[in-house]
Amino acid sequence: MSRHPLSGITVVDLGQIYQGPYCTLLLALAGARVIKVEPRQGEPARRRADAVDGSFPLAMLNSNKEGITLNLKHGRGRELFLELVRKADVVVENFAPGVMEKLGLDAKFLLEQNERLVYGSASGYGSSGPYRDYLAMDLTVQAMSGVMSVTGFPDGAPVKAGPAVCDFLGGTHLYAAIVTALYDRSVTGKGRIVEVAMQDATFPTLASSLGMFYATQGREASRTGNRHSGLAMAPYNVYKATDGFLAIICVTEEHWKNLARAMGRPELAEHPEYATHTLRARIMEEVDALVGEWVGSQSKAKAFEIARAHRVPAAPVRDIAEVVVDPQMFYRGMLQKIDHPELGSVTLPHSPLRFAGSEAIPLRASPKLGQHTSEVLTGMLGLDAAEIERLHIAEVI
């Protein structure tokens, strides 16, 4: 088996909550050494660990990292951070714009210390522009980016998407930017600053809604429930079964013909009123009623099996309890059970990225606060035990 793609890369990780930590999780599981730097009291996700959802997201997004604490508001803490930066390949942060400047650790200054450094920054709206200083969290970016306006039903209020889509889109795009910059460095020998704004990363997901907006000059309602965001495809919906719900979509005309046969209505396959997406979209209510009647006569498992046998794209709507034991993701290694020192036996995600010829890196539990401080400062920076003790007393670490 070959080496892991990012073996030999060292990342200094200032990421917090979801966006930055997800980016550095991907880096770690591609082989990079990731040193998670937290303030002495811990990053915000750790400080909310007493909340209902606090401990698991922290564990989920910080596997395979080394954890240290550094007080970056202390002069000696900044000195130690700079020493780490001089030996690192990548720095990642997702603070609000201006925070690193206030600490005296802005990106340009760090590149002066290490010209090969790739500095990755993620924020809500970016480091420039009229929204630069708006407070940005996943919820507020969903609102500002248009995601909420197209989520929900036409006769209801805007609804946020259930998962933290903007945070994770930002983290994924930041990973791509960093790896792109590392490739560029392999050609030029020079690092660079890369940044991702959550709003920018989210906008392309509105493709279907934008299609409807421009096609109708903005006249159509933007929320379509579980129907196609551009109201251009039918059937495309979630249908009630006797014991739950089934999602069905017909992307091609062949899918529609297959569904007609699956429903025991083969005459619909060739019926001129149902021949194309355009025609079916005009009678969407009628199409949904036909499909809904068929699904509603049986269990979601039975309807799914019939649809699958007829090559119709469909899936049962599953809850979290079903998803966390998903056999497909366990088979592929995306989900893995580990014994976590704080959470006990828990199912955690691996990276969705697969590199042929490299075995997946075994998951290691997320570090306790400051777990590797002495090890990193001794091993990377050559500090001795006496200096480590002095740093503790001075509240630098």
Side-chain angles (χ1 to χ4, degrees):
M1 303 298 286
S2 67
R3 64 196 290 276
H4 297 288
L6 296 182
S7 294
I9 296 295
T10 298
V11 179
V12 177
D13 176 16
L14 293 171
Q16 53 182 346
I17 310 181
Y18 290 171
Q19 184 175 204
Y22 185 60
C23 167
T24 50
L25 174 69
L26 294 177
L27 292 168
L29 294 177
R33 180 187 187 185
V34 176
I35 300 169
K36 183 179 178 68
V37 180
E38 299 181 65
R40 296 180 71 251
Q41 70 273 28
E43 65 132 301
R46 192 182 296 276
R47 298 201 296 272
R48 77 179 195 194
D50 290 336
V52 172
D53 70 339
S55 297
F56 184 83
L58 184 78
M60 167 182 162
L61 296 177
N62 292 285
S63 300
N64 294 65
K65 301 178 185 179
E66 299 167 62
I68 73 171
T69 58
L70 270 183
N71 182 358
L72 298 182
K73 296 180 180 179
H74 190 290
R76 181 58 175 149
R78 286 192 295 275
E79 290 175 3
L80 292 171
F81 179 77
L82 288 174
E83 289 186 44
L84 290 174
V85 167
R86 294 182 188 113
K87 294 177 179 289
D89 299 283
V90 179
V91 168
V92 175
E93 56 90 4
N94 63 307
F95 296 126
V99 168
M100 292 295 282
E101 286 81 353
K102 289 177 182 177
L103 291 170
L105 298 169
D106 60 274
K108 290 182 179 178
F109 176 65
L110 296 187
L111 263 73
E112 290 172 1
Q113 311 303 306
N114 178 359
E115 67 173 9
R116 289 177 54 80
L117 184 71
V118 172
Y119 182 101
S121 175
S123 60
Y125 303 106
S127 61
S128 59
Y131 298 172
R132 174 187 184 271
D133 295 320
Y134 286 11
L135 295 178
M137 300 294 173
D138 186 87
L139 178 68
T140 60
V141 176
Q142 283 198 36
M144 190 71 87
S145 67
V147 168
M148 287 177 65
S149 76
V150 299
T151 306
F153 289 87
D155 57 352
V159 179
K160 80 174 185 70
V165 290
C166 300
D167 274 330
F168 284 87
L169 282 167
T172 304
H173 282 77
L174 184 60
Y175 171 87
I178 288 168
V179 173
T180 303
L182 286 172
Y183 168 76
D184 183 63
R185 189 185 73 171
S186 74
V187 176
T188 67
K190 302 282 181 136
R192 64 167 64 207
I193 302 166
V194 298
E195 72 159 317
V196 169
M198 291 160 67
Q199 184 183 33
D200 295 348
T202 302
F203 182 84
T205 68
L206 300 172
S208 294
S209 299
L210 290 164
M212 181 169 67
F213 174 81
Y214 285 111
T216 65
Q217 288 79 51
R219 292 192 304 273
E220 291 289 343
S222 55
R223 288 189 293 284
T224 60
N226 290 314
R227 288 174 168 164
H228 184 251
S229 296
L231 294 178
M233 300 173 68
Y236 183 122
N237 214 329
V238 173
Y239 304 93
K240 190 174 185 348
T242 57
D243 60 347
F245 295 87
L246 186 75
I248 295 178
I249 173 177
C250 289
V251 180
T252 68
E253 304 309 347
E254 193 62 30
H255 289 151
W256 167 250
K257 293 176 182 179
N258 291 345
L259 178 58
R261 298 181 187 106
M263 295 190 299
R265 299 289 303 275
E267 73 279 5
L268 298 177
E270 306 299 334
H271 197 293
E273 292 183 10
Y274 301 93
T276 67
H277 281 307
T278 301
L279 292 171
R280 291 194 302 275
R282 291 173 185 168
I283 52 172
M284 192 172 290
E285 296 285 351
E286 181 179 330
V287 172
D288 277 343
L290 286 168
V291 179
E293 181 180 4
W294 174 70
V295 174
S297 66
Q298 58 208 309
S299 70
K300 64 180 181 180
K302 180 63 174 175
F304 173 53
E305 284 306 312
I306 295 172
R308 191 169 70 86
H310 284 79
R311 304 291 296 166
V312 176
V317 176
R318 300 191 302 173
D319 60 26
I320 298 297
E322 294 172 293
V323 173
V324 296
V325 294
D326 181 83
Q328 173 72 6
M329 286 192 284
F330 269 101
Y331 180 87
R332 287 176 53 78
M334 178 61 193
L335 295 183
Q336 299 182 14
K337 274 201 173 291
I338 72 165
D339 290 320
H340 194 279
E342 295 168 313
L343 300 179
S345 179
V346 65
T347 298
L348 294 178
H350 204 278
S351 170
L353 308 179
R354 296 289 183 274
F355 304 103
S358 297
E359 291 183 354
I361 296 173
L363 281 183
R364 299 195 315 268
S366 57
K368 296 180 180 179
L369 180 62
Q371 179 179 339
H372 303 99
T373 302
S374 296
E375 178 183 327
V376 170
L377 297 185
T378 300
M380 282 188 69
L381 305 186
L383 275 61
D384 59 25
E387 175 65 7
I388 296 292
E389 179 62 23
R390 286 193 291 271
L391 293 172
H392 275 295
I393 294 171
E395 299 186 346
V396 174
I397 59 177

